Amino acid sequence: LWLSINAGRVSSVRFQAKGCVAAIAAGSALTELAQGKSLEEAASLRAAQITAALGGLPPESGHAAVLAEDALKQALREAARLG
């Protein structure tokens, strides 16, 4: 997951995923949800919101939304570290 941040807002979001259809769909939904959000708003995004944006996920694919949330958290930590 790559974030561009300008003036405290997520101005661009990109992801690259190699995995199941649910993981790719969750990554895509995450980019749409995070785009334009403040850093605080982006940090508050949760797997349940990603799942809802997809219209739901089968129980066996729920981990895909969790992985997307984890990737966002890591990208935000890295952005904070870089300043």
Side-chain angles (χ1 to χ4, degrees):
L1 185 70
W2 295 272
L3 302 175
S4 292
I5 300 169
N6 291 312
R9 297 191 91 69
V10 177
S11 60
S12 178
V13 187
R14 303 281 186 267
F15 81 101
Q16 182 176 6
K18 184 175 183 180
C20 64
V21 171
I24 294 167
S28 179
L30 174 66
T31 64
E32 292 179 20
L33 291 169
Q35 181 78 35
K37 298 266 191 291
S38 70
L39 297 181
E40 294 79 21
E41 291 168 332
S44 73
L45 288 173
R46 297 292 177 254
Q49 293 167 281
I50 297 166
T51 299
L54 294 170
L57 285 170
E60 64 274 8
S61 297
H63 67 283
V66 174
L67 291 172
E69 178 186 339
D70 289 346
L72 177 61
K73 288 178 183 175
Q74 179 60 37
L76 290 168
R77 279 193 297 271
E78 185 67 18
R81 186 184 69 79
L82 295 174

